[in-house]
Amino acid sequence: MKGLKVGMISFAHGHAYSYFHSLRQIPEVQIVGIADEVRSRVDSIVGEYGVPYFADYRELLAQDVDAVVICSENAHHAQMAIDAANAKKHVLCEKPLGTTLEEMERMIAACKDNGVQLMTAFPCRYLAAVVRAKEAVERGDIGDIVAIKGTNHGGNPGSWFIDKQLSGGGAAMDHTVHVMDLMNWLLQSKVTEVYAYAATLFQEDLGVDDAGMVHIKFENGVFAALDTSWSRPKSFPTWGDVTMEIVGTKGVISVDGFAQHNDLYSDEAGKGLWTYWGDDMDAYMVKDFVRALLQGEPVPVTGEDGLRSTQVALAAYESVKLGQPVAL
Amino acid sequence: MKIAVVGCGGMGHVHALEFAKMPNVELVGVCDIVPELAESLAQQTGTSAFTSFDAMMSSVEADIVSVAVPSYLHKELVIQAAAAGKHVICEKPIALNVEDAEEMVRVCEANGVQLFVGHVVRFFPEYAQIKHQIDAGQIGKVGVANAKRVGAHPGNVKSWYKEADKSGGVIVDLMVHDIDFMRWALGEVKSVYGMNKYDDDMDYALVTLVFESGAVANLEAFWGYPGSFHYTAEFAGTAGLVQSDSLKTQSLQIRNSEAEADGGNFVEIPQSPGYRNPYTVELEHFIGCIRDGIEPIVTARDACRALTIAAAAQESIRTGKAVLL
């Protein structure tokens, strides 16, 4: 494979725009088509960059395409990924990988059976601070990890994210998986138990949870708490955060993934803004996906990784129902 | 108003120095079983030194006794002071278990004396402001809160902090500040879940409180943090969010270019100075409550509730289950 022909399926998740621009920067990549049943979502991109448009993603899958990027509503990930796998296309799928365990197992099996690769989009692994933190942990800079306090705050994303049929859940679904994946990656230990509280606290009659506190115990004795809340008000200077306080026997590593920002005060915005100037994690993730496929190597973040972190989100909802920890 | 201070360690110093400065307050004596500590503090504050509580009480007239001994001795001294008919100001935590705390409250009530517990965080200006902003509806109804309080292990300086049956550990001694503040800001707690790593070098805890209101708070406390002491608090509500971070509010940095003997090439001392420190505000408030017979900002009942929640966190750590209150 000299170059890589990539198709994009659905721009329902806003990350698709960023992935599109990341793909455009890679000389080996040819974007051969965009499929989205809602044309208005991709109109501007299709028009400006002259990318072929398909209303039905199955038409896109019938083209000469090597890999697809899926950014549909969570509930549609499974069908689209399985159809792509059956059409022998590699898949980069937005997180969370699926909305049920069974769905995710089928996605993984379909890719395996068809000899294509499945990568879960966890761009936070490509934050430079996270990469350096992982190296520091491996060097033993803080001894053995004891505990992690994490946050993945955001604002209420609205749209289909607050429709449980399409999203599979609220803030705990949306915001458990990123930091959970980082913790799995850092700890390389199985999750044994999950205790969670989730509720609708910021917007009445939302239909899904917008506040969450997820607690995780690992086989190696490490424990963690993760605030998954969509708790950032409109007046907040940025969209949210990804943070980890990694406590070790010989030190502490503090990661604040988006701390690299300036403070902008513009009368036009009507509020202060944190303008991020750090590296573009999406671009590095997409590049690594393309690199792995071109070199015929395993993708750096797998479908199993996607399943493992989503499983914790699903267990969190179980725990909320019971009001007690659940074993995994 | 005449005050005697028992315990001349860190907090005893704070109390005695504050009382010595106050108009209309007379510091009548300080006592400690370590004679040098008592002597030195007495000299600094211009009062008399004693090496036993009994000796002090039989020698001086006091209206109030300020108890600043290690936590495991609080109960015994508060009860002695109350039995002698003195109002009591006691450092936090009120006691190491709820039964002791409730007995202390009962004895004070039975003797007609007031009991104040030094949950000083309520008197820190940044926290008082947060409480005011929440009450004024500036962030709407609170949904999620986070708090953090971390620093060096005090047990490296005073060994009793490392004995759980003397200090209560990081939850009862340190996190209790944030437990009390959260309860003040968010109301009664209905469930508690805790996780903890405890050994000779560190005591690290994560505790989540779910409130009757539905709000949730996660508290982090750490003895053995490899850095300077600091604390943060964040409250997110339906109409806004308020954050405070002690590392970001240091209004004064004093830097000296002269090398330290240990090889450093500069010295940096960040500070957040104020004309009235939170202990001044707290202790003046307690004395005002006694003088004017008014209800304090933090009551002995509040201190018992905070300890009940801390005890529930310890139970959750033991059982691995969420504890319902």
Side-chain angles (χ1 to χ4, degrees), chain B residues 112-256:
Chain B
V113 298
Q114 297 210 51
L115 172 60
F116 304 93
V117 183
H119 282 287
V120 73
V121 165
R122 294 197 190 198
F123 299 88
F124 272 63
E126 59 269 55
Y127 286 89
Q129 186 181 70
I130 289 173
K131 164 73 173 160
H132 177 78
Q133 286 163 334
I134 290 172
D135 288 352
Q138 286 183 275
I139 62 167
K141 188 170 188 278
V142 174
V144 179
N146 284 277
K148 168 179 173 177
R149 196 168 293 275
V150 303
H153 204 311
N156 294 337
V157 182
K158 299 207 170 154
S159 61
W160 64 269
Y161 278 104
K162 284 196 176 175
E163 296 171 54
D165 58 344
K166 291 188 172 164
S167 72
V170 80
I171 294 174
V172 164
D173 190 84
L174 186 67
M175 188 185 281
V176 75
H177 282 300
D178 294 298
I179 291 173
D180 174 64
F181 184 74
M182 287 292 167
R183 199 183 141 265
W184 193 37
L186 303 178
E188 294 301 338
V189 169
K190 71 176 176 199
S191 85
V192 183
Y193 181 79
M195 300 180 290
N196 179 227
K197 160 77 177 180
Y198 174 83
D199 63 26
D200 200 48
D201 297 319
M202 69 189 299
D203 194 352
Y204 178 83
L206 288 169
V207 173
T208 290
L209 311 178
V210 176
F211 294 81
E212 300 281 0
S213 70
V216 60
N218 181 257
L219 315 183
E220 180 185 7
F222 193 177
W223 276 347
Y225 177 75
S228 56
F229 176 73
H230 66 274
Y231 48 84
T232 66
E234 174 185 297
F235 293 80
T238 52
L241 181 152
V242 57
Q243 290 176 326
S244 184
D245 180 343
S246 65
L247 291 179
K248 291 182 181 164
T249 53
Q250 290 163 335
S251 56
L252 175 67
Q253 309 274 343
I254 297 177
R255 301 189 172 91
N256 189 305

Side-chain angles (χ1 to χ4, degrees), chain A residues 188-210:
Chain A
Q188 302 287 322
S189 178
K190 267 177 61 184
V191 171
T192 54
E193 201 175 281
V194 176
Y195 168 73
Y197 177 74
T200 308
L201 301 179
F202 295 101
Q203 192 183 317
E204 252 176 80
D205 308 321
L206 191 61
V208 291
D209 52 294
D210 57 11

Side-chain angles (χ1 to χ4, degrees), chain A residues 115-284:
Chain A
V116 293
Q117 296 215 62
L118 171 59
M119 173 159 162
T120 310
F122 282 133
C124 293
R125 281 209 201 182
Y126 293 85
L127 286 166
V130 167
V131 173
R132 293 285 181 265
K134 164 99 165 146
E135 289 168 4
V137 167
E138 283 169 356
R139 275 197 308 269
D141 286 8
I142 59 163
D144 297 323
I145 297 177
V146 163
I148 300 176
K149 164 75 190 267
T151 65
N152 184 192
H153 293 125
N156 180 340
S159 173
W160 59 267
F161 288 88
I162 56 175
D163 178 348
K164 191 170 183 292
Q165 294 300 356
L166 292 172
S167 62
M173 190 69 177
D174 190 35
H175 276 183
T176 294
V177 293
H178 281 298
V179 177
M180 200 53 235
D181 175 64
L182 298 183
M183 296 198 285
N184 284 333
W185 191 42
L186 286 167
L187 295 169
Q188 302 287 322
S189 178
K190 267 177 61 184
V191 171
T192 54
E193 201 175 281
V194 176
Y195 168 73
Y197 177 74
T200 308
L201 301 179
F202 295 101
Q203 192 183 317
E204 252 176 80
D205 308 321
L206 191 61
V208 291
D209 52 294
D210 57 11
M213 203 65 79
V214 179
H215 311 73
I216 307 108
K217 287 181 180 169
F218 295 85
E219 204 169 54
N220 64 2
V222 173
F223 59 85
L226 172 58
D227 183 348
T228 63
S229 306
W230 292 336
S231 54
R232 269 41 200 163
K234 290 184 199 74
S235 46
F236 203 67
T238 189
W239 59 270
D241 64 35
V242 170
T243 74
M244 280 186 295
E245 189 87 343
I246 307 165
V247 176
T249 51
K250 300 205 179 323
V252 172
I253 297 173
S254 304
V255 174
D256 185 354
F258 299 94
Q260 291 166 319
H261 66 259
N262 288 343
D263 296 339
L264 171 70
Y265 302 93
S266 159
D267 289 343
E268 202 191 342
K271 62 174 186 178
L273 292 173
W274 292 354
T275 52
Y276 179 70
W277 49 257
D279 292 323
D280 179 353
M281 60 176 185
D282 288 350
Y284 283 89

